[in-house]
Amino acid sequence: MRRIPLRVVCHAVFRSEVIPLHVRRLQQQVESTCAEQGAQLVGFYCDFGLRKEHVLDYPALLHLRGGRADALLIVRTPLLCTSPSHDLLESLCLPPGQPMSWLPVPELRILGLLPKAMRVTSFARLRAAELASRGFPPHAIARWLDSEGFAPPQARRLRWTTHDIALLLRPAPPLEKQLVR
């Protein structure tokens, strides 16, 4: 089975004097760490400390909102910075003393940083069928449906599962069998 890399967007918060070389070095470290973990860095955004109070003020969240990534990696530098933040994203996603955090799209939805998922099974079925026809395995299809804002079939669950995908892609019974029931 072919491995489909996790698509990651990085939001780097710089709380010290910014030197272009340090920014580039951090981006290279994140790229190599993603590659080592079988992930793909699809966006790297720098935050130079200006206070933001709305989710639309974050380019990284806009990237995720479009379904072009599966997870957000937020990194704060310097790593040992312990002063509290008044920034929305940093305060919600980085606990005090923790220099980095990894949040998949469903968790970002719970935090209110991304719109709620849509409960439109017919569109999810079409999208899943398209991805399956392109050779994507069920676990990757599940991740993409999460990222693209399709709510899983059971309201109490946060994520699509491979079982959900199998049920979604299961052929419909012939019309005669449907009429007999």
Side-chain angles (χ1 to χ4, degrees):
M1 184 181 330
R2 159 177 100 153
R3 175 119 166 81
I4 306 298
L6 188 69
R7 302 166 300 162
V8 178
V9 171
C10 180
H11 178 84
V13 180
F14 291 90
R15 287 203 160 177
S16 61
E17 185 178 338
V18 179
I19 300 169
L21 179 62
H22 293 159
V23 173
R24 182 66 189 138
R25 200 174 290 151
L26 178 62
Q27 183 176 359
Q28 288 171 339
Q29 285 177 318
V30 170
E31 284 173 348
S32 66
T33 301
C34 284
E36 289 167 7
Q37 300 299 317
Q40 176 187 14
L41 183 65
V42 295
F44 184 87
Y45 297 95
C46 297
D47 182 338
F48 299 114
L50 298 176
R51 184 177 175 162
K52 291 169 281 314
E53 297 176 355
H54 195 275
V55 295
L56 296 176
D57 295 333
Y58 297 95
L61 291 178
L62 293 174
H63 200 113
L64 286 154
R65 182 182 280 256
R68 295 184 305 263
D70 306 304
L72 172 70
L73 172 64
I74 182 167
V75 180
R76 178 179 42 228
T77 183
L79 299 178
L80 301 176
C81 182
T82 56
S83 60
S85 172
H86 300 289
D87 182 78
L88 175 69
L89 188 62
E90 190 177 354
S91 64
L92 283 175
C93 298
L94 280 179
Q98 185 174 333
M100 64 179 23
S101 186
W102 178 270
L103 296 126
V105 167
E107 287 182 35
L108 294 168
R109 289 187 199 295
I110 291 170
L111 291 172
L113 296 170
L114 293 176
K116 292 185 182 206
M118 303 175 295
R119 208 164 282 295
V120 187
T121 306
S122 57
F123 289 137
R125 182 176 290 110
L126 288 172
R127 182 64 171 139
E130 178 205 351
L131 292 169
S133 73
R134 292 173 45 197
F136 285 92
H139 72 276
I141 295 170
R143 234 181 30 224
W144 280 51
L145 291 181
D146 284 335
S147 298
E148 293 175 354
F150 294 102
Q154 295 182 13
R156 67 183 183 278
R157 282 207 325 257
L158 302 175
R159 296 184 171 106
W160 285 86
T161 65
T162 55
H163 179 71
D164 295 333
I165 301 304
L167 290 175
L168 195 63
L169 295 175
R170 183 178 59 196
L175 189 56
E176 308 85 53
K177 287 186 179 180
Q178 290 178 12
L179 295 175
V180 172
R181 290 184 188 177

